[in-house]
Amino acid sequence: MASKAPKESNVDVLIIGAGPAGLMAAAWLSHLSVPTRIIDKRNTKIFCGQADGLQCRSLEILDSLGFADRAWKEANHMIEICMWNPGSDGVIRRSDRIPDTIVGLSRFQQIVLHQGRMERFFLDNIKKYSGGAVEVERGVLPVGLEILEGKGEGGKGGEFPVRVRLRGLSEEEATPVQVKTGSRVAASDGVFRSELLGGEEEEEVMRRSKARAGAEEVVNAKYVIGCDGARSWTRRALGFELDGEATDIVWGVMDIIPVTDFPDIRMRCAIHSASSGSLMVIPRENRLVRLYIQLKEVTPDASGRADRSKITPDFIFSTAQKILAPYKIDYEYCDWWTAYQIGQRVGTSFDAQQRVFLAGDAVHTHSPKAGQGMNVSMQDAYNLGWKVGLVAKGVCKPEILSSYQSERRRVAQDLIEFDQKFSRLFSGRPAKDVMDAEGVSMEEFKEAFLKGNMFASGLSVNYGPSCLVVKPGDAAEQGDGSEKTRKLVATHAITQEEFNRKQALATGLPVGMRFNSFKVLNQACARPWHFQERLKADGRFRVVLFAGSILSPAQKERVDKFCAKLDAPTSFLHRATPPGKPIDSIVEVLTIHSAKRTETELLRDFPDILHPFDEHVGWDYNKVFVDDESYHEGYGDAYKNYGVDRERGCVVAVRPDQYVGWIGELEDFEELEGYFGGCLVLRDV
Amino acid sequence: MASKAPKESNVDVLIIGAGPAGLMAAAWLSHLSVPTRIIDKRNTKIFCGQADGLQCRSLEILDSLGFADRAWKEANHMIEICMWNPGSDGVIRRSDRIPDTIVGLSRFQQIVLHQGRMERFFLDNIKKYSGGAVEVERGVLPVGLEILEGKGEGGKGGEFPVRVRLRGLSEEEATPVQVKTGSRVAASDGVFRSELLGGEEEEEVMRRSKARAGAEEVVNAKYVIGCDGARSWTRRALGFELDGEATDIVWGVMDIIPVTDFPDIRMRCAIHSASSGSLMVIPRENRLVRLYIQLKEVTPDASGRADRSKITPDFIFSTAQKILAPYKIDYEYCDWWTAYQIGQRVGTSFDAQQRVFLAGDAVHTHSPKAGQGMNVSMQDAYNLGWKVGLVAKGVCKPEILSSYQSERRRVAQDLIEFDQKFSRLFSGRPAKDVMDAEGVSMEEFKEAFLKGNMFASGLSVNYGPSCLVVKPGDAAEQGDGSEKTRKLVATHAITQEEFNRKQALATGLPVGMRFNSFKVLNQACARPWHFQERLKADGRFRVVLFAGSILSPAQKERVDKFCAKLDAPTSFLHRATPPGKPIDSIVEVLTIHSAKRTETELLRDFPDILHPFDEHVGWDYNKVFVDDESYHEGYGDAYKNYGVDRERGCVVAVRPDQYVGWIGELEDFEELEGYFGGCLVLRDV
């Protein structure tokens, strides 16, 4: 026991770990202006290498935060996958080409960029939105965690029931051991050090980190988010386990600048050699190429662990050379290398008392080849961040928090399943002919790859029923299958038949999936926008009113009626909005109509509530859009693509993370109100 | 005379003035790593308001420097122009809509953004590319300028013949008087102060600025670029004049957040009222709208100067209200306002001894309404920067410097002419009917607007013959008409007939105009690029080889022959490249072929010189492109759009500023060599 009590303070949210998941959570909370701290035991010296694939959905998410463009600009874009297999002569040849991203799936395609750059973008974004209030505290380790909720009111528990003890680390403790690269010219140590912080900034962080060394403090938080990786301290502190096991397949990874005559070195390639194993080529930025190399000759011992002493860069690379023969490959520069055993594990529980949450590698591990790691981790935190933030702010009911596990544990399980199948097919020897039952059929592999592409885009995620997603069934059936979730997740009552009727109103917007994006024009200025660009990560729910053919009197009447209810002082919209705040503070109403733009007038044809007036700055010109042709960027054909009737339209409720929560007719106002009553804290009036 | 000699130093280029023109020059020189200093008499407290339209060509240019995306993201996009005129009842109504940017002209459309943000982007870019070596020195005034060339060798003249005396200003001297805004809530003073520099950075600049106050120094420069605005000190020091005169039309300008029921307040509008004058609406970022308001009731006195004391924001705004009636308009927030008399003037000379150059407002002034000011100024410097830089580095012959005046004075003259016509039509009273000869026909106005749109895009610029542009005629005929230019500009001899034959090889690439952009795919990785994205502002000339149908043996033979000449040790390519430097250091060869991508192999089908090998990092995968369909971004149809024969192709020489310099057949190698011999310094071999 220390003789002097450590410094003690309160914060709404404490995030443990500043990798992509932790930074995503911090970004959300910064956008929501929720008091937040984020700590990381590492100082600024981070590895090269690491995860680097960014799938479509991740880019959509980064765009909602405001920096997808930075990643898009710097990254290598992966366009085509080439499959190489042995011919009848046993020599590899290109057997197929498929697009890397399914055409038409998203406005983004899969790209590859070093994780260090991603973290830099996050840090810039967090700084901008928090006004500098949220900053990663480096060299800080959690050493104790206790949830006091239910243990008493006021002093213990109360508003900040999670008590975390932190300790400042010395510089040596906070510096991870660098992987020594096996490059032929020595790769420098800490190449990406400068990515995270500018010179002066870094010195300041190090200075503060040193000042903290050895000191303990206590933080009382409303919520804690553990994003501290596969060996998560938070998970162990909660006593939670990961379920699953390692396989006996060992892979090597190398980031090199190749000197080669292999024709497809700048394509993503899946190469099965006749008998030397498999290889995956991932072209990267700055001439780099990542090779995933199956190490057939390394097999784990009885304990299940491979002997890593044999695994050297020369050994890994000579395997790659055998697989690629008769093509030649060599390198002078190696940026990073490692080796791993494929293991697939998922956490039994994603939260403790809905006060401490786990996200990212802390609750699921899998092989890196599918390029999913950074993506699923960020998406965990993207699902969680706004929920925690809006509950902490008193905007949402705490009941929404249980949907984190029901939604994300299902995704983690799907990921593991995908990874198992994909890894088996990828690691297997190619079948010699149709009679070769032990070999992997290259047709089956291609099929799996195509299906996997859909999964790997991140766009197949379909959340089950909860208070946030109005669907038939209960959370356990469509969710993660755990009894815990079944008990906790509140759902809306809707029959399958009724649901089918609602879903038919917008067949291109499946309830539970992300709001797809097509181009529409701003009614007031004719500027084309991908509609998703209007669904920014600002913590607001949205009502998207497909107003239909607004110039037809019958439809205009329906719209007017809907808007009159929306604008009534007792509506959920007014009851959700804090007194004195703009009417779009909590729920924003966006309109897409289907009449001709040039025949329609914003102020004349649309009720005021669709473009609210402010006495200081006038009408809001950024809320009403039209499904019409643009001068320079083609025609989004949004009604058709969303599967919405051009005449009658419909109403869609959208969550702050862009997922569709509810669909109904313009007459279904009470149901819409019921949806928001289920998740928002509404004032009594 | 000071008793102590002032500090004296040498620099390749000294830029006077850090507005858009000066910053553009500094950006070029930073990209070229030419030792450069840039001074500005203002400290960091700059105005709000100022020029803000960015035309297509400017965005293409910013993209070549690497930051068009930042402007594109923050700016307001102008999509449509609405024309409002009095009907037969005298009440204004919308008579026409036209697209703001001609469809298909460029991959960018015209946008509007505050000049302060532009300057911020420039400063970031200059810092990045110069590695911090080039920084604006603020609070520094030039007080003496002398060109010593021809006055002696060595000590005087020599390599650094322009002697400039500088003096550090005190803080008061360096702070411009702020325009007091007439807002109803007081607009803050120096709103955009923080745009230019971050907090600490700003303090540092001010500290250094203070340390310099009163101190004199002497800078000996190879070249000086005067970008110091309409009252240019540099121009006056050279004794040069501006030709032209002021009109008697006075306009007011206000940047406000309007509260209005005028339906097109978020469109660019040209409004002619029946008898209250004209108004232009320019919607801007952050809810701002700029109004240009004709002040009919203010007329200049006999001396030609209007009495500015009458001109208050209330007076200007009440005029706007009259013009817009019966619509109502009001505001609470005014960001900035001013008034000006239209005046059109152009400099008699753009340079002195090709050692001191003038750019931007220093050599041409005109009305701001056409949105051309910032654009033409930046484009002056974009034309000049690489010429000065490459001559200073010894890459180009000094002869190219005379093309600056021959190319840009013509543009300035065209601008003045356009502005005169446009201003007359815009300021005139609308004609009541066809018999009303004194009124302005609204049909004529629309016609002028449509034509003006082409001019205003910046894409109609067509440079005359010089050593940089192989065209028939002499510089004076197609250039600026001055005798001085006729004497100085070296041209290539080509007959009209011969020229027509060459131009017919690529009808979509007029010699003297900017290289248009269509999408092509990288042969090695299938990634689509707008071809212009590959023409970065790095100071390199380019040979674009339209290789045609590379898989046809006859065409392959033509390509092989061309490449053999290119790769001969005595070719201009080898002779231009400094020993030991990569072969693409001075002239980069880019290829676009027309065969199917998937049937073509980079290493198999293309001679090495088209994708040079480096023993450390392998083949170059970023030089060969294909005119083929992309998976996700459509088909650029580049051969068709460039007007090049798919079978036979052609060869195009492109200047570092993306202008087409020469076109020929694959067999015209000697002419191509002649082109480069005319502008590059070639080593003897």
Side-chain angles (χ1 to χ4, degrees), chain A residues 66 73 80 597 616 631, chain B residues 66 73 80 332 597 616 631:
Chain A
K73 184 174 178 178
E80 195 170 73
R597 174 178 67 82
H616 306 293
Y631 286 119
Chain B
K73 185 175 177 177
E80 196 170 73
E332 276 196 10
R597 175 178 66 83
H616 306 293
Y631 286 119

Side-chain angles (χ1 to χ4, degrees), chain B residues 245-306:
Chain B
E245 55 193 28
T247 66
D248 57 1
I249 305 164
V250 181
W251 288 77
V253 188
M254 295 184 84
D255 284 345
I256 59 168
I257 297 180
V259 179
T260 183
D261 60 356
F262 180 67
D264 287 347
I265 196 70
R266 296 303 305 172
M267 299 289 191
R268 187 168 158 208
C269 293
I271 304 166
H272 282 87
S273 73
S275 57
S276 303
S278 297
L279 175 80
M280 183 174 272
V281 177
I282 308 278
R284 291 183 42 182
E285 70 280 10
N286 298 334
R287 288 178 177 260
L288 284 172
V289 172
R290 170 166 294 185
L291 302 177
Y292 286 103
I293 304 143
Q294 186 185 3
L295 302 178
K296 287 192 67 148
E297 286 158 40
V298 183
T299 40
D301 60 17
S303 77
R305 290 212 153 271

